[in-house]
Amino acid sequence: MSEPKKNFTQKKNQLSKFLHNLSGQTIWIAFLLLVVSVSLFEPKFISSINLLNVLRQVSIVGLVSLGMTVVLIGGNFDLSTGAIVTLTAVVSVNIGPEDTGSTMLSIIIPLLLGTIVGLINGLLVGLLKANSMIVTVGMQFIVVGATLIYSGGQHVWVWQPTQFYENIAGGYFLGIPNPIYIFLILTVVTQILLKRTTFGRYVYALGNNDEASRMMGVQTNLIRMATYVFSGFTAAIAGIVLASRVKNLDPTAGLGYEFLALTAVVLGGTKTNGGEGRIFNTLAGVLILGLISNSMTLLNISYNKQLLVRGLILLVAVAIDARRGQRVMK
């Protein structure tokens, strides 16, 4: 190959790589434009107090979104996460974390419950090859029903939780609420898990081509099961944070988080048919949802209209995902 032609090819490859990376950051560009636009309409929006409040509010949805991103990259859905949040939050509060021993139990037992539900999902989807959407919707009903039976359909509360339990959601470090740290630390951990480990490479391979992954020797059933275990675990952490924050819970308090998380994940560019997704783009999707919700509240837009907007955002995100898939097929 001649030198000029070689240089042209290298520059073309560099440009292609730059455009690919830029397309992957579109969600962050949208995030920055949203911040600037809302700030022009409502100056209070940009205040440090309000921004920290937004980050604290989205931390629970964000935690659920991390696990859902991993499951979705693997080519499956998990619509049981809202129910897991509900179950773990109710159990955590109902244990009565009013001394050191009960506080530890109010954290350990919900984590175990969330992980077990995720494991059952993984067994049904991974080993039995059942449809992931049907399995997890069915699991949602089971978990919600179990939660209502456990609580007698009544509110649960704790009057005098320990300081440690109170600080899970109510504490600060260097002026920043603890839930933000929990969410961001787990975001980094999930990023490392997906990008720096064999498990992460197998998750992407599974989402791209299940059969090819199996022929390469990947234990696809085990990997799929592990994605659900991780999703159940992150949803359980979200439930504990919710319990610590509210301390007086309706036994259906977490329902709906699964759809908020799904909206954030798809908005962040994770493909609904698997094989593609970035954790930090999921973070951007979570932040955008939080900013939109916060800005509508500041502008005194009713909750009913906010639900309408959230639904429209999900539909737009799914439409973009479908359109992107069509381009890839061409």
Side-chain angles (χ1 to χ4, degrees), residues 244-294:
S244 171
R245 178 180 173 185
V246 179
K247 296 180 284 293
N248 187 335
L249 285 164
D250 181 282
T252 59
L255 294 181
Y257 277 107
E258 69 277 9
F259 293 112
L260 287 174
L262 181 62
T263 303
V265 173
V266 176
L267 190 62
T270 299
K271 290 174 62 176
T272 54
N273 60 348
E276 184 178 323
R278 302 179 182 182
I279 283 297
F280 287 129
N281 283 1
T282 291
L283 171 61
V286 170
L287 292 176
I288 285 176
L289 283 186
L291 292 178
I292 291 173
S293 178
N294 179 257

Side-chain angles (χ1 to χ4, degrees), residues 79-100:
L79 299 179
S80 67
T81 48
I84 295 174
V85 172
T86 299
L87 173 65
T88 52
V90 168
V91 170
S92 182
V93 166
N94 203 49
I95 287 173
E98 297 182 343
D99 55 57
T100 302

Side-chain angles (χ1 to χ4, degrees), residues 69-70 73-75 191 193-195 198-209 213 223 274-279:
T69 301
V70 175
I73 290 173
Q191 170 71 6
L193 193 66
L194 284 176
K195 294 296 186 180
T198 302
F199 167 75
R201 290 192 293 274
Y202 286 168
V203 171
Y204 280 99
L206 180 67
N208 277 311
N209 194 317
S213 299
I223 297 299
E276 184 178 323
R278 302 179 182 182
I279 283 297

Side-chain angles (χ1 to χ4, degrees), residues 1-13:
M1 183 183 293
S2 64
E3 192 64 30
K5 191 172 182 180
K6 183 178 180 181
N7 290 336
F8 174 77
T9 302
Q10 289 177 343
K11 290 179 180 179
K12 185 178 178 181
N13 290 337

Side-chain angles (χ1 to χ4, degrees), residues 34-45 295 298-299:
L34 179 63
V35 170
V36 172
S37 300
V38 176
S39 300
L40 294 175
F41 285 100
E42 181 52 72
K44 294 179 184 177
F45 173 78
S295 61
L298 290 175
L299 295 171

Side-chain angles (χ1 to χ4, degrees), residues 8 34 46 55 63 76 115 118 131 151 157 203 218 262 270 278 328:
F8 174 77
L34 179 63
I46 203 67
L55 287 171
L63 287 167
N76 296 285
T115 303
N131 181 283
S151 64
W157 60 86
V203 171
V218 177
L262 181 62
T270 299
R278 302 179 182 182
V328 171

Side-chain angles (χ1 to χ4, degrees), residues 62-63 66 70 180-197 230 234 278-283:
L63 287 167
L66 296 178
V70 175
I180 298 175
Y181 287 109
I182 295 171
F183 172 41
L184 293 182
I185 289 171
L186 277 170
T187 298
V188 173
V189 169
T190 309
Q191 170 71 6
I192 293 171
L193 193 66
L194 284 176
K195 294 296 186 180
R196 303 294 181 184
T197 68
F230 184 76
T234 57
R278 302 179 182 182
I279 283 297
F280 287 129
N281 283 1
T282 291
L283 171 61

